[in-house]
Amino acid sequence: MTRNPSGFPTGLTAPSRRTVLRLGAGATAGLALGPLAGCAGPTGAPGPGTISLGLNRSLVSLDNKLNQFDAAVTVQRAVRQALTRIGRGLTTELVLADRFEMTEPTRWTVRLRDGVRYSDGTPVTVKDVATALKMYAGVNGSFLIGLFPELPTVEKVDERTFHLRTEHPVPILDQLMANILISPAAKNRPEELTGGVGSGPYVVTSANSGTGEYSLAVNPEYWGRRPAIEKVRVRFVPEESSRVVAVRSGELDVIDTITPDSAEQLRGLPGVRLERTSGTRVNQLFFNFRKPRGHPLADPRVREALSYAIDGEALVRDVLTGSAQQAEGVVPLALRGAVRTGSYVYDPGKARKKLAALGAGDLKVRIIWESGEFPADTSVMEAVLEMLRAVGVRASLQQFQPGGDILQWRQGRRGDWDVLGNGYSVPTGHASTSLQGMYGGTPEKEKTRDTYQGYVFPEIAARLADASAESDEKTRDKKLAAVQKAIWDTRPCLWAFIPNVVLARRTRVKDVRLLQVNSYDLAAVRLEG
Amino acid sequence: MIRYLLRRLGQSVLTVFLTLSTVFVLVRMAPGDPAAALAGPNPTSEDLARIREQFGLDESLLTQYWVFLRDLFTGDLGTSYSFHAPAFDVVLDRVPYTITLSAAAIALTALVAVPLGVWMARRADTKRELGANVLTIAGQSMPDFWIGVMLLTVFAVLVPVLPASGFTTWGGLVLPTVTVAVLQMALISRLVRREMVAALASPYITVARSRGVSERALTWRYALGNSAIPVLTALGTRFAAMLNGVVVVEVVFGWPGVGSLVVRALETRDYPLIQATVLVTAALAVLVQLLIDLAYPLLDPRVRLGKAA
């Protein structure tokens, strides 16, 4: 083939610059419009039979082996279910099981509900439960498994009945098992399941884990009462102000885990209602218990004296805008087994006097925390700084960005600190799990810095272990109450508060029964209008 | 031409590779531990050690880099720690949203800024230009998050005609596009004005005018044609920058693009996701630059690619 000077084969006309520019413009328009067609469907705003939920964190899957945060639980449990769940008053409610009872101290007898099946029509079996436990145990980094003192083994009795056997008594096994979601054994893996079927009232009709957007529809095979809402749209809206605007405009029907500031903005607005309940998370200004003997903060009297400097009422009223309560125990009182052990008293004169008497008049305190650890964290810390300064304590603040090195600091591997701003919650609804997690430190655990900020009181740890293994509920509660009082006397916190759980909904959304674990039963929710 | 193209492609590949390698080292030098971010609250040392081992984070930097290169050449960018899915796939889920927003913003910018710049140049240093000057300076001065919040307040809350967040309807594109485009329109229109003022004062315009060429042709064909290359370069550069994610706007509008993904990946120290994002966005950016370079001869016949001036 011969070529002309322009480089084009003879017989073909070289395109003019104008033609190429036109083609370029067309291609650019295609580039702009093509993805428009490809990346978003004609979903529109939620219709009469659809509820739209805005989550503050991305729901990367509908499994909870690795990712479980409050808002996710609501959606995960609409698709996958456990044998039990934590219900109103943090009591255990039966879901896939119709019997779950301790028949011996180390044996629980469980019976699967008659007729429970997955969305593909296959029945939920005992093997599925046994496999689920193995898969949760096999995944790296699951904090849920850390809540179990030991994992039970499954002993099949008949097609529906089985025993959960442990070596030592685990008296809250029914509550712990509320976190183990059951999937068909053949499809379960020791990893987060991104697909597959569940036994819940809804099935996934579309999912984009990259953007955190999911569409659910009623499960036609659901074994229980049919949900009132046909479709659910789940969206990930990370920025709280955007979620607030979206619920105000009616684009989202429900947003959860909202901060005091947002609750204030939404309060009294037409078309929007707030739901509140006391939470199960405790936010603490926790002392560093790795101080050497002789250090002022190693003395509980100094820790107590410092706590008199904190005006908790003012913090709750002015900084947290009434969206929290000062802690009156070492764990939230909402938890089963929690007791009132004391209260934080504001008396700066007493603080100054006691500190001077204890030779800690010129104390320096370094407070560290990770940004976003709790609502209004920076404002709380700045207020605390001023309160400490008012009694002569030279305090300083060090804030860490999320993803930074705070864990290493907490473990004392990066530097010294005195008070840590930290939140602690567990999804079991029982005080013993929180108490064990925070105050069950032993010298052995401390060797690897695996205690809670160095809190090691062997006697307390032993009493906690004893109480947590007590199978008689009354005796257990009595023992737990005594040990909580002993913990309070060690003065672990400069101050602590329990934030309320707050959710905002459009008024057309009814029967959102917000639970203290910051979740609700999606199948019970209705839409009006 | 082909030799030029191959050379530019080679340079582009090298640029992306060096960028990726630099990011690989830098994210590992930054404070933070992916294992801690992945493990959830209050992990034990044993948990952390297991996670580090699982993801090869306990290996030396050199070994990690070698494994990364080996996997890269097989097309494997690793599994995102936080999404538990191939990092490349997670990024590809987001890329269309970013391209859509960037393309819409740059199209709006070109549609408004070029005529505005021409209008200002034709009325340079007159009282009528003052208003446009004030507007463009204001556009440059206003932070995009503020513009975004104001637009949200007006068009999603006070007069709720447009969605507040996400991309669930076509209307969802309007507010983020306008927010991104305001600054770009201000910058590009001022650039067009500057180039056009210089072009309109050139001798060839005077000659053309003396030959009776109409003012419209003088402005749009002669002067704008000669100003096109710097304007196109600026538009292309801005577009390439947007492809790296317009983070603030994405956060304000809950736009599921690459920018918000990067923020999340950095917060969780999700190395594979950070690397996959950098790879994709850097590749897109150099591709856009290459296309712009290839477009120069079309705009100005005097430009010959691959030949010395």
Side-chain angles (χ1 to χ4, degrees):
Chain A
M1 190 181 283
T2 56
R3 290 178 182 276
N4 64 23
S6 70
F8 276 79
T10 50
L12 293 176
T13 310
S16 67
R17 281 197 309 127
R18 181 162 294 189
T19 307
V20 175
L21 284 171
R22 280 178 181 157
L23 286 172
T28 307
L31 187 73
L33 297 173
L36 273 173
C39 67
T43 46
T50 304
I51 187 170
S52 178
L53 316 177
L55 305 190
N56 64 340
R57 286 174 63 181
S58 181
L59 192 59
V60 298
S61 83
L62 289 170
D63 197 0
N64 68 340
K65 291 197 188 81
L66 284 168
N67 284 282
Q68 175 160 309
F69 55 94
D70 295 345
V73 173
T74 302
V75 185
Q76 284 167 344
R77 281 164 195 276
V79 177
R80 288 193 165 91
Q81 296 176 309
L83 297 171
T84 59
R85 71 175 169 211
I86 308 298
R88 294 189 82 76
L90 300 174
T91 53
T92 313
E93 293 175 356
L94 298 171
V95 183
L96 289 176
D98 66 0
R99 181 186 175 202
F100 200 122
E101 59 183 287
M102 189 192 286
T103 42
E104 287 175 21
T106 57
R107 192 184 79 177
W108 291 70
T109 300
V110 186
R111 189 176 64 194
L112 291 172
R113 201 180 284 275
D114 190 21
V116 285
R117 58 184 180 271
Y118 297 106
S119 56
D120 62 0
T122 57
V124 178
T125 65
V126 175
K127 190 181 176 192
D128 296 341
V129 178
T131 305
L133 280 165
K134 278 184 201 154
M135 297 305 142
Y136 275 79
V139 71
N140 272 345
S142 169
F143 89 103
L144 290 173
I145 285 302
L147 303 174
F148 285 75
E150 62 176 292
L151 272 182
T153 53
V154 176
E155 296 168 353
K156 187 172 176 178
V157 176
D158 60 37
E159 284 308 304
R160 286 172 50 207
T161 314
F162 57 96
H163 296 312
L164 288 173
R165 176 86 66 179
T166 54
E167 282 188 24
H168 304 97
V170 183
I172 60 162
L173 191 61
D174 53 344
Q175 283 167 281
L176 292 168
M177 286 300 287
N179 295 291
I180 304 294
L181 302 181
I182 311 298
S183 297
K187 291 173 184 167
N188 212 339
R189 299 277 178 277
E191 61 192 37
E192 194 111 303
L193 300 177
T194 51
V197 299
S199 58
Y202 288 94
V203 291
V204 181
T205 53
S206 73
N208 185 338
S209 63
T211 58
E213 298 200 355
Y214 292 78
S215 295
L216 313 181
V218 166
N219 172 7
E221 295 285 336
Y222 185 48
W223 54 270
R225 193 173 155 197
R226 187 181 170 86
I229 300 172
E230 287 297 316
K231 289 180 182 169
V232 179
R233 207 167 75 201
V234 182
R235 288 179 51 198
F236 167 46
V237 187
E239 180 60 26
E240 177 142 314
S241 59
S242 303
R243 292 192 299 137
V244 167
V245 168
V247 84
R248 285 181 68 176
S249 66
E251 193 182 320
L252 289 174
D253 287 308
V254 182
I255 59 171
D256 54 67
T257 324
I258 57 175
T259 59
D261 278 352
S262 297
E264 276 298 301
Q265 284 179 46
L266 292 168
R267 190 203 307 264
L269 285 181
V272 180
R273 291 285 179 278
L274 295 174
E275 304 279 342
R276 296 168 193 270
T277 184
S278 58
T280 58
R281 178 184 173 94
V282 59
N283 292 326
Q284 307 155 316
L285 303 186
F286 206 91
F287 285 111
N288 184 352
F289 278 83
R290 293 192 179 95
K291 294 292 178 187
R293 194 186 297 268
H295 189 284
L297 289 178
D299 184 344
R301 294 171 303 168
V302 174
R303 297 197 293 267
E304 182 185 356
L306 278 174
S307 73
Y308 291 127
I310 307 302
D311 187 353
E313 272 181 30
L315 286 172
V316 166
R317 185 185 60 241
D318 302 329
V319 182
L320 297 167
T321 59
S323 66
Q325 296 89 42
Q326 294 196 72
E328 293 181 296
V330 291
V331 288
L333 296 181
L335 293 172
R336 289 172 68 191
V339 293
R340 194 168 272 108
T341 52
S343 55
Y344 291 98
V345 177
Y346 175 54
D347 188 342
K350 193 172 176 181
R352 191 185 286 272
K353 207 190 260 174
K354 277 197 141 202
L355 286 171
L358 292 163
D362 60 345
L363 196 60
K364 279 186 189 171
V365 171
R366 182 191 224 179
I367 303 174
I368 68 168
W369 82 102
E370 187 172 270
S371 189
E373 184 65 26
F374 46 77
D377 51 345
T378 307
S379 305
V380 168
M381 293 307 189
E382 285 173 351
V384 166
L385 181 88
E386 292 306 319
M387 290 169 186
L388 288 173
R389 282 183 180 164
V391 298
V393 174
R394 285 171 291 165
S396 61
L397 303 179
Q398 187 170 351
Q399 186 173 16
F400 291 75
Q401 287 309 303
D405 276 338
I406 192 147
L407 180 64
Q408 299 232 344
W409 279 78
R410 281 170 52 175
Q411 292 178 328
R413 297 181 198 275
R414 279 293 170 97
D416 193 23
W417 53 272
D418 302 298
V419 175
L420 168 75
N422 193 55
Y424 194 94
S425 68
V426 287
T428 63
H430 202 280
S432 66
T433 331
S434 282
L435 290 167
Q436 291 262 39
M438 288 190 282
Y439 303 108
T442 59
E444 198 172 40
K445 283 185 187 172
E446 182 56 15
K447 281 180 193 163
T448 50
R449 302 288 171 120
D450 286 332
T451 61
Y452 193 72
Q453 330 322 335
Y455 190 94
V456 181
F457 288 82
E459 190 208 328
I460 285 175
R463 288 171 65 185
L464 267 176
D466 175 50
S468 301
E470 175 58 57
S471 46
D472 179 68
E473 194 171 352
K474 278 188 180 166
T475 312
R476 182 171 72 238
D477 285 352
K478 207 171 167 183
K479 286 180 175 178
L480 278 177
V483 78
Q484 285 172 71
K485 288 192 167 68
I487 293 168
W488 177 268
D489 291 340
T490 63
R491 295 285 169 173
C493 296
L494 176 65
W495 187 59
F497 66 99
I498 316 296
N500 289 337
V501 172
V502 188
L503 168 152
R505 62 172 172 86
R506 299 290 305 173
T507 44
R508 75 174 191 135
V509 182
K510 308 287 181 192
D511 294 339
V512 177
R513 299 189 187 98
L514 182 61
L515 300 170
Q516 286 159 315
V517 286
N518 196 10
S519 175
Y520 54 93
D521 181 7
L522 199 52
V525 177
R526 294 181 297 116
L527 287 178
E528 259 181 21
Chain B
M1 172 72 177
I2 295 209
R3 187 181 292 174
Y4 171 80
L5 196 60
L6 288 174
R7 197 173 72 229
R8 283 300 311 271
L9 280 173
Q11 285 172 355
S12 301
V13 170
L14 187 65
T15 305
V16 173
F17 177 75
L18 289 176
T19 308
L20 202 51
S21 298
T22 308
V23 168
F24 182 93
V25 175
L26 287 179
V27 292
R28 281 161 179 79
M29 286 169 64
D33 180 0
L38 186 62
N42 307 301
T44 64
S45 304
E46 205 181 329
D47 290 337
L48 295 173
R50 269 206 310 268
I51 293 168
R52 288 191 195 109
E53 191 187 344
Q54 183 187 355
F55 292 105
L57 297 164
D58 53 345
E59 301 286 357
S60 69
L61 186 63
L62 207 59
T63 309
Q64 287 184 52
Y65 186 60
W66 166 246
V67 172
F68 166 68
L69 288 183
R70 190 192 62 199
D71 292 346
L72 180 65
F73 285 108
T74 60
D76 179 7
L77 284 167
T79 300
S80 160
Y81 305 152
S82 47
F83 285 89
H84 316 295
F88 192 59
D89 293 352
V90 174
V91 178
L92 288 187
D93 279 343
R94 300 283 191 118
V95 163
Y97 292 90
T98 295
I99 291 180
T100 303
L101 179 56
S102 307
I106 213 72
L108 180 64
T109 301
L111 282 173
V112 174
V114 173
L116 179 63
V118 170
W119 186 88
M120 288 164 71
R122 294 283 301 165
R123 290 153 189 81
D125 303 324
T126 63
K127 281 184 183 173
R128 295 177 71 185
E129 195 207 359
L130 186 65
N133 261 329
V134 170
L135 277 179
T136 53
I137 290 169
Q140 281 178 273
S141 315
M142 289 185 293
D144 48 8
F145 72 85
W146 184 83
I147 297 171
V149 171
M150 287 301 109
L151 288 173
L152 271 179
T153 307
V154 175
F155 296 106
V157 178
L158 298 177
V159 190
V161 289
L162 290 168
S165 64
F167 190 20
T168 53
T169 64
W170 306 118
L173 185 60
V174 176
L175 296 182
T177 300
V178 173
T179 306
V180 175
V182 166
L183 171 64
Q184 311 305 331
M185 288 190 291
L187 291 171
I188 300 291
S189 61
R190 296 195 69 77
L191 173 72
V192 172
R193 178 199 178 275
R194 192 185 66 205
E195 294 294 324
M196 285 290 290
V197 165
L200 288 169
S202 301
Y204 71 86
I205 294 286
T206 311
V207 171
R209 188 176 282 126
S210 68
R211 287 182 178 176
V213 177
S214 70
E215 283 301 313
R216 173 181 284 195
L218 280 176
T219 305
W220 293 99
R221 192 181 302 163
Y222 286 60
L224 186 59
N226 279 297
S227 308
I229 283 186
V231 174
L232 179 75
T233 306
L235 283 170
T237 309
R238 301 312 306 159
F239 182 58
M242 286 178 208
L243 291 175
N244 289 310
V246 269
V247 178
V248 175
V249 174
E250 286 185 11
V251 170
V252 169
F253 290 99
W255 190 265
V258 171
S260 50
L261 186 70
V262 171
V263 172
R264 179 178 169 175
L266 287 168
E267 280 181 357
T268 54
R269 300 296 187 269
D270 192 337
Y271 296 158
L273 194 54
I274 295 169
Q275 287 152 199
T277 312
V278 168
L279 175 70
V280 171
T281 55
L284 282 172
V286 295
L287 181 69
V288 169
Q289 293 293 356
L290 181 62
L291 290 173
I292 291 165
D293 286 356
L294 293 175
Y296 285 166
L298 300 171
L299 296 168
D300 187 344
R302 290 170 299 180
V303 178
R304 288 286 176 269
L305 296 177
K307 291 183 181 171

